Each structure stands twice: as C-alpha cells, then as structure tokens.
Amino acid sequence: MSLLDKLVVLTLPIVPKPIVRYFSRNYIAGSSLNEAISVVRELNAKGIMATMDLLGEEVTKKEQAAAAADEYKEILKAIDLHKLNANISVKPTHMGLNLDKEFCFKNICGIIEVAKKYNNFVRIDMEDRHTTANTIELFLRLKEEFEGHVGLVIQAYLRRTADDVRKLISHKANLRLCKGIYVEPREDAYKDMAIINESYKYNLEQLLKNKCYVGIATHDEKLVWHGIKTVEDLGLKKDEYEFQMLLGVDEQLRDIIVNAGHRLRVYVPYGKDWYAYSTRRLKENPKMAGYVIKKIFHLS
Ligand code: FDA
C-alpha cells in the first residue's frame, strides 16, 4: 500500500461526505429505488442477474428496522412489476437482530412472504463475528418456513466456517461463499490471505460436491478459475451455481465470466445510507481511493 493510499484510509473519517460520495459512485447505484432499477435493467440487458441491497445496518430502533423491511417489500414489488432478473440481499442487523432476535425473525418473515408471493428469493448477508451464530440460527428457522426462497452467506476467513458448512450441507442450504469483509481478530479469523484462499477452495468444493447451490462471490481471478474448474470437474449444469460480484468491481473479469457462459449476479446496493457502505469499501480497497484522490487533485 502506498503512503498516499495509507493516508487516505487514515484520514477517511474526516473526509467531507461529498468527496466520499464521489469515490463511491461506481459502487452504489444511487440513493433511490428508481436509480437502482435503472442499474439492474442495464445489467439484465447484458445478461447479468442482480441482487438488490437497501443500504443500512445496525439499526438502533425497531421502527427503523420495520421501515427498512417495508422498503424491501417495495423492491420485491418493483422487481416483479418491471420484470427484472433480480433478488434481494438483507442484513440481519438492519432488520433488528441486535435489538430483538424474535422481532428480527418476524421482520424478515414478512419480507420473505412477499418474496414467496412473487416467486423470488431473499439472501441473508453475513455480518461481523458477533452475529454469525444468531444469523445461522435465524436462517435455519427461515429455511424451514420458506424452503426455496431463502439463502445465507458464509465467510471463508472465519475459522468456524468448515464446521458451519458441514452443518449447512446437512440442510442442503443455498449459500453465497465470500472471503469476508469485516476486520476480525486472529482467534476467530485467518489473517493470511493464502489460508483464506485455501479455506475458500475447500469449502466451495465441499458445498458443490454435496449438491448445495453456491453463489461463488469473488473478484479474485485465481478463485474464479478454481470455481470454474470445480464445476466442470463435477459436471455441474449452469443452473446449479452462479458467480457473484459487487457493482463497479473488475467489470472486465465480470464480462469474461459471462462470455464463458456462466451465470453471474451483481450486488447492487442503493439507498440514502450510503456512507457506512462507502467507507467500508474504500478502507477495503485503499488503492482505489488513492487513485481517485490523485485524479481529483491532479497528482498524477
Ligand atoms: P480480494 O479481496 O483478494 O480481491 C481480489 C481483487 O478484486 C483485488 O485485487 C481487487 O483488485 C479487486 N477488488 C476486490 N474488492 C474490491 C473492491 N471493493 N473495490 C475494488 N476492487 C476490488 N462479505 C461479507 O462479509 N458478508 C457478505 O454478506 C458479503 N456479501 C458479498 C456479496 C458479493 C456479491 C460479493 C462479491 C462480496 C461480498 N462480500 C461479503 C465481500 C467479500 O467478503 C470480500 O470482502 C470481497 O468480495 C473482496 O474479496 P475477493 O474475493 O474479491 O478477493
């Protein structure tokens, strides 16, 4: 990481919001549902599926969680109305997980009922390690009620993941596998990228061999290569897995995957609560933040 990139990350908390917004415009579809719909339309026209995310996490009041759930229902209606090829991704803490588990369960049930009505699907995102056990428990309860309409995310960097995957295989869960984005301590998470990648490959193989549907979510070309090799070795059909990428990240790799005939879904976040998401993305990829800063201030 260059000195400038490090500086960008360190000073991020004091960077004025309009500048963060400028950085993040490629990663976020906009602040309104209409803007997100246009982005999904463009992706669909290129043969790419979407998963729509209403930005927000860690609400402090139940009313906020209920309002977010209502907006998710509107998203599902809009997907149906505009005949979009998209599902939705929901964060448990946005639905009130850390306020009241039972309330969160009911809140998400309300969303999945609507998804079921439109024959759609809800992916439960995975957040930091404090939420992992509760999120898995929540997912298994939801799956029992809404089989075929709900899936979960699992993170390769967590040491517990191989055990979780074994358990989830026994439930034939539909999973998105990602490396994991939160900063976690070494007791709980691998810190060495080579180990994280091995864990990713191991868990992906276990899931696919055991006929679980997997969203192979990564922009790491080595892992994409391994994913393609694994699905080919196992002789899987194109509708037994999909690749997934974040909006605005490595569109060239995205096209390569699509042109090779694999299904690909892009995560499309939108909403007024873009700040937390943007700062996380920029901290994750300071190189990009540094690059944009250089452009703005004509440093290169
Ligand atoms: P890696 O971090 O090694 O990146 C590979 C290359 O991709 C980098 O060299 C860089 O060039 C590029 N790249 C990666 N991220 C980038 C970015 N943000 N901006 C620009 N370039 C970037 N995590 C989580 O904890 N819970 C979740 O629910 C989800 N959900 C989710 C959905 C989808 C569809 C995706 C693709 C990812 C997630 N993630 C997530 C995030 C995930 O855990 C991980 O942090 C990122 O995908 C980055 O990891 P990669 O596998 O891409 O590898």
Side-chain angles (χ1 to χ4, degrees), residues 24-266:
S24 59
R25 72 197 192 293
N26 291 332
Y27 294 135
I28 292 168
S31 52
S32 71
L33 177 55
N34 279 340
E35 288 169 285
I37 289 171
S38 322
V39 170
V40 172
R41 254 207 203 103
E42 279 170 32
L43 290 166
N44 285 176
K46 293 180 188 155
I48 297 172
M49 307 179 287
T51 184
M52 298 175 74
D53 167 60
L54 173 64
L55 290 170
E57 51 204 323
E58 201 62 74
V59 293
T60 51
K61 293 192 183 99
K62 286 186 180 175
E63 300 84 74
Q64 295 169 317
D70 285 344
E71 183 149 354
Y72 266 115
K73 292 172 197 165
E74 291 304 314
I75 302 177
L76 288 163
K77 270 190 220 163
I79 291 172
D80 184 68
L81 181 72
H82 298 281
K83 303 199 175 2
L84 302 175
N85 189 344
N87 60 33
I88 58 170
S89 289
V90 174
K91 287 191 173 45
T93 67
H94 199 189
M95 295 296 120
L97 182 72
N98 291 342
L99 297 176
D100 178 343
K101 264 186 355 184
E102 207 46 39
F103 166 81
C104 174
F105 173 72
K106 293 205 174 109
N107 218 13
I108 301 184
C109 277
I111 298 176
I112 309 184
E113 264 158 27
V114 178
K116 191 175 170 185
K117 179 175 144 197
Y118 293 123
N119 197 23
N120 208 328
F121 181 86
V122 179
R123 173 79 57 195
I124 310 293
D125 282 343
M126 188 59 85
E127 301 174 83
D128 69 48
R129 71 190 186 286
H130 303 292
T131 66
T132 312
N134 281 340
T135 301
I136 293 174
E137 183 194 318
L138 176 81
F139 163 72
L140 290 174
R141 281 180 73 191
L142 292 165
K143 187 175 182 293
E144 229 166 75
E145 282 202 33
F146 300 102
E147 181 61 54
H149 297 280
V150 62
L152 181 68
V153 177
I154 208 87
Q155 299 154 321
Y157 67 1
L158 288 187
R159 293 178 190 274
R160 56 175 289 162
T161 289
D163 290 337
D164 290 335
V165 159
R166 262 187 289 281
K167 181 172 174 188
L168 290 159
I169 283 173
S170 72
H171 290 270
K172 279 275 172 291
N174 177 324
L175 297 177
R176 171 195 299 151
L177 178 64
C178 65
K179 287 188 186 179
I181 204 174
Y182 300 86
V183 181
E184 304 288 20
R186 191 172 169 205
E187 308 91 86
D188 297 301
Y190 306 115
K191 302 305 258 181
D192 180 333
M193 196 48 102
I195 302 178
I196 296 172
N197 289 349
E198 284 309 305
S199 165
Y200 194 104
K201 290 190 244 175
Y202 172 76
N203 287 300
L204 180 64
E205 285 169 14
Q206 294 304 309
L207 289 165
L208 291 174
K209 269 185 206 157
N210 286 287
K211 294 274 172 207
C212 286
Y213 186 93
V214 187
I216 307 168
T218 183
H219 320 92
D220 184 335
E221 196 166 349
K222 293 185 291 301
L223 294 183
V224 169
W225 180 86
H226 176 263
I228 293 176
K229 175 146 180 16
T230 308
V231 298
E232 284 176 359
D233 287 351
L234 293 170
L236 297 184
K237 297 194 205 84
K238 301 288 187 209
D239 61 358
E240 289 178 309
Y241 65 92
E242 65 188 46
F243 285 89
Q244 297 188 353
M245 293 175 71
L246 300 172
L247 185 67
V249 179
D250 202 343
E251 293 179 4
Q252 194 176 21
L253 179 60
R254 184 170 100 179
D255 293 343
I256 290 168
I257 297 171
V258 173
N259 293 337
H262 303 284
R263 301 194 325 147
L264 188 134
R265 187 178 302 276
V266 166

